[in-house]
Amino acid sequence: MGDMANSSIEFHPKPQQQREMPHVGGFGCTLAELRSLMELRGAEALQKIQEAYGDVSGLCRRLKTSPTEGLADNTNDLEKRRQIYGQNFIPPKQPKTFLQLVWEALQDVTLIILEVAAIVSLGLSFYAPPGEESEACGNVSGGAEDEGEAEAGWIEGAAILLSVICVVLVTAFNDWSKEKQFRGLQSRIEQEQKFTVIRNGQLLQVPVAALVVGDIAQVKYGDLLPADGVLIQGNDLKIDESSLTGESDHVRKSADKDPMLLSGTHVMEGSGRMVVTAVGVNSQTGIIFTLLGAGGEEEEKKDKKGKQQDGAMDSSQTRAKKQDGAVAMEMQPLKSAEGGEMEEREKKKANVPKKEKSVLQGKLTKLAVQIGKAGLVMSAITVIILVLYFVIETFVVDGRVWLAECTPVYVQYFVKFFIIGVTVLVVAVPEGLPLAVTISLAYSVKKMMKDNNLVRHLDACETMGNATAICSDKTGTLTTNRMTVVQSYLGDTHYKEIPAPSALTPKILDLLVHAISINSAYTTKILPPEKEGALPRQVGNKTECALLGFVLDLKRDFQPVREQIPEDQLYKVYTFNSVRKSMSTVIRMPDGGFRLFSKGASEILLKKCTNILNSNGELRGFRPRDRDDMVKKIIEPMACDGLRTICIAYRDFSAIQEPDWDNESEVVGDLTCIAVVGIEDPVRPEVPEAIRKCQRAGITVRMVTGDNINTARAIAAKCGIIQPGEDFLCLEGKEFNRRIRNEKGEIEQERLDKVWPKLRVLARSSPTDKHTLVKGIIDSMTGEQRQVVAVTGDGTNDGPALKKADVGFAMGIAGTDVAKEASDIILTDDNFTSIVKAVMWGRNVYDSISKFLQFQLTVNVVAVIVAFTGACITQDSPLKAVQMLWVNLIMDTFASLALATEPPTESLLLRKPYGRDKPLISRTMMKNILGHAVYQLTIIFTLLFVGELFFDIDSGRNAPLHSPPSEHYTIIFNTFVMMQLFNEINARKIHGERNVFDGIFSNPIFCTIVLGTFGIQIVIVQFGGKPFSCSPLSTEQWLWCLFVGVGELVWGQVIATIPTSQLKCLKEAGHGPGKDEMTDEELAEGEEEIDHAERELRRGQILWFRGLNRIQTQMEVVSTFKRSGSFQGAVRRRSSVLSQLHDVTNLSTPTHVTLSAAKPTSAAGNPGGESIP
């Protein structure tokens, strides 16, 4: 592709060639010509356009399109353009085939060891030792009298291979379905990606993939350009081209200086129209992309090397990560516009990872590695003991000599020991962990789609469960974003509702209608409702829609005004941006003069007004004193009603001297105020309840808005973000900056730490303020736990804050492409309640993983100890390799499916967030794991050593090589599996709840898996025979096995009765990779945080201490007077008693301290503990 691009450049200067070549399909430009044109910039490009086409409209003529009407919307023409110039679609990399995934799953180290062992075992079983008759090899081959049994030696090897194949297929299938889901998700994001084009003179929203060369596209603030094009007409257009060039400065684009617009770049300011000249793989992004496609394979090789070094432990994790990353990159939501983005991301990936591993994955990897190491040590010891025991017994005790012909027999023994060792390792390594995370996340992501959360990065879903703070936008998230003008100040009168048109002077009305209709984006309109009785549809910027609605309410229409002065006749436009907080448009008057219309935030624009229109529509001076008067009487009352105030003004310039339009502060000054309007954006009805849920769940909601502080405070009170009587801060951006910066103007973390805990509303904030606040909260070290921050945003300017946050939410409807690009989750309904749903799902993921861990670790502990002690005492593991693999399958794959797909319940929102430092395995879980392990080990060892007496069967201990399976060991195996099955039900609760069956039927997957496993177990035991080392059991034996299994549930209740707080010796495990200090032990206690009774009790204690303290003091006072000693002493004693009491209140209310973390005045900060409720 790259060469083609170059050759096309060389091929241009030869004009005769150009003449000979007829233009394809009747269009005046070839593909190569357009490609080479798009590689030029600035003056070069202009020169080229002038030489080749005359001007941009000449280019449009060659492409058979009209700069104003666009293409005719006829399918044949569009199809023809697609054939000649390509479609706007970059083909994604081929997904991995199922076989590739199988191959990847086979790379697992433990599986490789098993395969080798199985093959060796198979090879040896087919080798008949010639010296079989000789007694020399001792009783070693004693079991081989029965010829049939000796023949069956190969079965074990084959069975191991078979189970390995099973595990591999299941893993591969999981990966495959996950990738498929992910691609489905991506294509859904892609279909939602639309762009505005003009066809047949009509504005249409078409999917990005449907853009063709020759389309006339409308470009506006916040767009991510989906194709290359040449600017036809632009207003104050600034583009961020960093994704292609790496230059962070915004580039000014204009039709007469630099008209080249490139795909993958972001529009940061202004608006305009462009003619599309290159799409898909021929656009600048597409060219880079195809080059990257070639480089992708090499990358993958490197990746593989890196992955093998990571070891098998987290190979499946890296795989999950890689898929997220790779798929997200190949098929980004933003289609062709992605290549540049991708290149940028490649660069970023090299320098700095987008986010560190998610909190949960960090903890899991660490835990898995620890367990893996322990398993490795155990299995090594097992093998060593077995070999030593065998060698000592055979060659020392029995005094045999190693004979050449006996070698295969001995080797077979060693292989058997080796297989036992490997089996211990297989069971010990929880390779199901990454699987459980992936399943749980994939399941949640799929379900979250239904709750209007479109998750772009898998780990965001789980991070959301830990969120402790949400910084939310106001407009559109907390409010409906359906704005209407409800109050106005026109001609010296404050109207509390829409005035009658007759009440206004025609001059004022006329000026107002013109000022609103012309000085707003022409793409903003109000369309008739889709259904009868519905509200009119608002298209475009909502604030402008409110103003246009105001014009309609005044019984006038904006469309005729716009037709009279079309967009390309506007003389100069200063578009809205977050610095100006206003928008101005200049038009030429018939007399040759100019008129400037301006609208913007009232406190900013009124400062620039020197006149105001009175009731007759005549100018009247407007002094600073009048302005303060107006702010007090008009603007503040409006703001306190939660209205956003907008000032509309104008200014006339004479024809004699044209001002310097680039000197903006000069031009937009000396204005005449026409009106001030109050726009209402009602709070969404469901928001107050959602915010209450957040606060109950220990999440602080902060509002960050560009609005006036009074408006913001009024809305925050309506939402319940601030409650009367609470100790909170509402700051404006300026004041916020003054408080957090030192004399040199640098931000200091200590100063920030004094501000953010109480801050609830940040008004008139700039994008940098939002970013500063988010970064400050994340980096803060005050408080018991680090904060995890979620941020919502919709505008281009929210990009940095969204990227910095732990979880960024972008608005699906109102959000710009830039915001979506920076976000982790897209809210498809722009609604705050969806965030609460995301919190619920996130916490559910965390809990699902904990449930799985609790179950998995119990099995691990038991299986490893059984295999280890069994091997040491009886030279043979009571659980055979194939049985272990089956147990492993139950534990890892099925259990992760069953426990990771528990649906969330509202009760998840009743506890505090876990925070970054919370260990994965709380003390309650540790208690459950060890408790159940004790029960299971007791049962198994009892069965192992005295089971044959109890059931009156032959003992299976010390059986020779290749001996038939015994009933004794089958019972042990069966009991073991039964106990796991019932313990799986226990594992459904991790906070020590009593009712383990609660909501079990709401999870059909769980029920299916438990019953399915039970069914397969029956088949294995009754018909498994030699491969599974099982011998069929009688009904009575089955009932005993079941009875012991059900005992697990009873035992679970016993364990739940033991109070965790008594077991100080238990330690948590699986801390985050960060600092391992826990502020209080109690923090880890799930139940304690749930249990309100505890809190009441604590309150009681404090009251009791206070009462006691009062009585003591009174007694002391009495006795002091009796002794007529100094009263001073008593007072002194009282103060010391009080200080002791203070320590006591702090010690006795740890949960209170954590609870009030949301209200920064924690119990610890109360002098004398007097104000504790």
Side-chain angles (χ1 to χ4, degrees), residues 479-544:
T479 58
T480 54
N481 205 6
R482 212 201 139 73
M483 305 208 186
T484 41
V485 173
V486 287
Q487 295 187 21
S488 52
Y489 179 79
L490 285 155
D492 288 347
T493 331
H494 184 175
Y495 296 96
K496 287 287 171 80
E497 53 249 354
I498 304 290
S502 53
L504 302 173
T505 330
K507 181 184 173 190
I508 294 186
L509 191 56
D510 204 49
L511 263 171
L512 184 67
V513 170
H514 274 75
I516 291 174
S517 311
I518 294 168
N519 186 29
S520 58
Y522 277 34
T523 46
T524 305
K525 331 185 173 41
I526 291 191
L527 303 176
E530 281 171 338
K531 292 197 280 292
E532 273 298 304
L535 294 163
R537 281 181 297 157
Q538 298 188 338
V539 180
N541 180 312
K542 302 297 181 192
T543 312
E544 290 178 352

Side-chain angles (χ1 to χ4, degrees), residues 129 170 177 217 244 252 284 319 381 567 585 605 620 661 675 758 776 883 887 926 938 952 976 1030 1041 1055 1075 1173:
V170 169
S177 59
L244 284 179
R252 279 197 105 99
Q284 288 304 302
R319 212 174 307 140
I381 297 178
E567 191 171 10
T585 305
L605 220 53
R620 170 164 69 78
W661 297 115
K758 291 188 183 181
Q883 296 174 350
V887 168
M926 209 49 148
T938 314
D952 192 23
F976 183 68
C1030 285
C1041 293
I1055 295 179
K1075 293 172 297 306

